Amino acid sequence: MAAATAARSRSATEVWLLGQPEPNPCWGKQLPKNGQVLRRFFHFVRVQRKSVKEAASLVTAEVAVVWEKARIPTQKKSRCVERILRLYASWQNLDRSKKRSAEVDVENRRSFSLALMTLFDIGHADAFDLITVDEDRQFLLGQRCPDGPRCIMQGVDQSLADRERRRLERGVLKRSSSPERATTATRSSSGLGAGDEEENGGDDGRDADFVPSAGISAQSACSPKRRRTPIMTPAVAAAWTAQ
């Protein structure tokens, strides 16, 4: 009785051309294929009753984790969601014609089944140029080629992770010690901001082109002129002539 019930349950959830929906993201140590992604998508749609777009977004988030672990640059999330929706639309078209036995229909089903076994490729268009480690390039190449070497992901390369962490720390320190930041820090420590400089007589740009005349210092140009007192008066001149 229990076996019969389980068989009916599996039959009710089985997806044509795909089999059972995938309840867990069991990608393993390789990048997921189209069939794995689509079965995971159907789990969200038929078992968890998610909307089509929400299911595609959830699967995209799970797949992105694997690609990030493989250190391979990916496309935007929106494009990954569109790719899943296109796969689903292709399955829907075939599902509508699954009772047809025409040669073209049979060929379409066969092509789709073969495509399910290929990589769900969300790699960046310039992935090979952006990747800096040759082993990562070889891994992506093997995942994209059905007949190529099927490399697998190993554990975290701790030495590489440490080097990248130190490089990141050096970059942060370099940015924090740049001349522009140092000037800003000095200005902040003196307690004078842009508004304080103007309030305390700082240069506001209006006198930037002022230049003192030749032979006159800046101090004399700004000080008032003194009144001259005559020394040779008429009385002094007459007394000087009488002698």
Side-chain angles (χ1 to χ4, degrees):
M1 184 65 180
T5 303
R8 285 196 299 270
S9 178
R10 290 181 60 84
S11 177
T13 58
E14 186 173 358
V15 183
W16 181 67
L17 286 180
L18 294 172
Q20 291 296 323
E22 184 56 60
N24 298 299
C26 54
W27 318 126
K29 295 184 178 181
Q30 295 182 344
L31 300 178
K33 300 178 181 179
N34 289 321
Q36 293 174 304
V37 170
L38 204 51
R39 282 191 290 271
R40 182 65 176 154
F41 168 82
F42 271 105
H43 172 76
F44 285 116
V45 172
R46 293 194 174 182
V47 179
Q48 296 192 10
R49 302 299 180 181
K50 304 289 186 181
S51 67
V52 170
K53 289 187 177 181
E54 185 179 2
S57 181
L58 290 171
V59 176
T60 295
E62 293 178 347
V63 173
V65 172
V66 186
W67 281 74
E68 182 179 354
K69 182 180 178 181
R71 301 170 54 85
I72 300 176
T74 60
Q75 303 171 8
K76 295 181 179 178
K77 178 182 177 181
S78 58
R79 300 195 64 178
C80 301
V81 171
E82 292 174 0
R83 189 177 183 88
I84 295 176
L85 296 179
R86 286 198 300 270
L87 274 175
Y88 177 57
S90 299
W91 178 89
Q92 284 182 310
N93 292 332
L94 294 175
D95 185 57
R96 297 188 188 100
S97 61
K98 63 182 178 182
K99 294 184 178 180
R100 300 176 185 175
S101 57
E103 183 177 354
V104 61
D105 296 312
V106 174
E107 179 61 26
N108 288 338
R109 289 193 288 268
R110 189 185 72 84
S111 299
F112 183 77
S113 298
L114 292 175
L116 293 177
M117 295 184 291
T118 59
L119 176 68
F120 181 74
D121 198 343
I122 60 173
H124 193 279
D126 300 325
F128 284 103
D129 296 329
L130 298 174
I131 295 174
T132 57
V133 181
D134 186 63
E135 290 182 357
D136 295 340
R137 295 192 188 94
Q138 296 301 322
F139 175 77
L140 177 58
L141 182 62
Q143 297 291 299
R144 284 179 169 176
C145 298
D147 299 331
R150 300 296 292 176
C151 303
I152 61 174
M153 289 183 285
Q154 300 292 340
V156 178
D157 189 340
Q158 194 60 46
S159 60
L160 177 61
D162 292 339
R163 288 199 303 271
E164 291 183 344
R165 177 181 54 80
R166 290 193 295 268
R167 188 182 303 116
L168 179 62
E169 291 175 352
R170 287 196 298 268
V172 173
L173 291 174
K174 185 177 181 180
R175 289 194 299 269
S176 63
S177 60
S178 62
E180 181 180 355
R181 290 180 179 270
T183 303
T184 305
T186 303
R187 181 175 297 176
S188 300
S189 63
S190 64
L192 296 178
D196 296 329
E197 289 181 359
E198 293 182 9
E199 186 175 345
N200 288 277
D203 184 10
D204 60 359
R206 288 175 293 186
D207 296 329
D209 296 331
F210 173 77
V211 179
S213 301
I216 304 178
S217 65
Q219 182 177 0
S220 62
C222 297
S223 60
K225 295 182 179 180
R226 294 182 180 181
R227 183 177 180 181
R228 296 182 179 179
T229 303
I231 298 176
M232 186 65 69
T233 62
V236 174
W240 181 265
T241 305
Q243 293 179 0

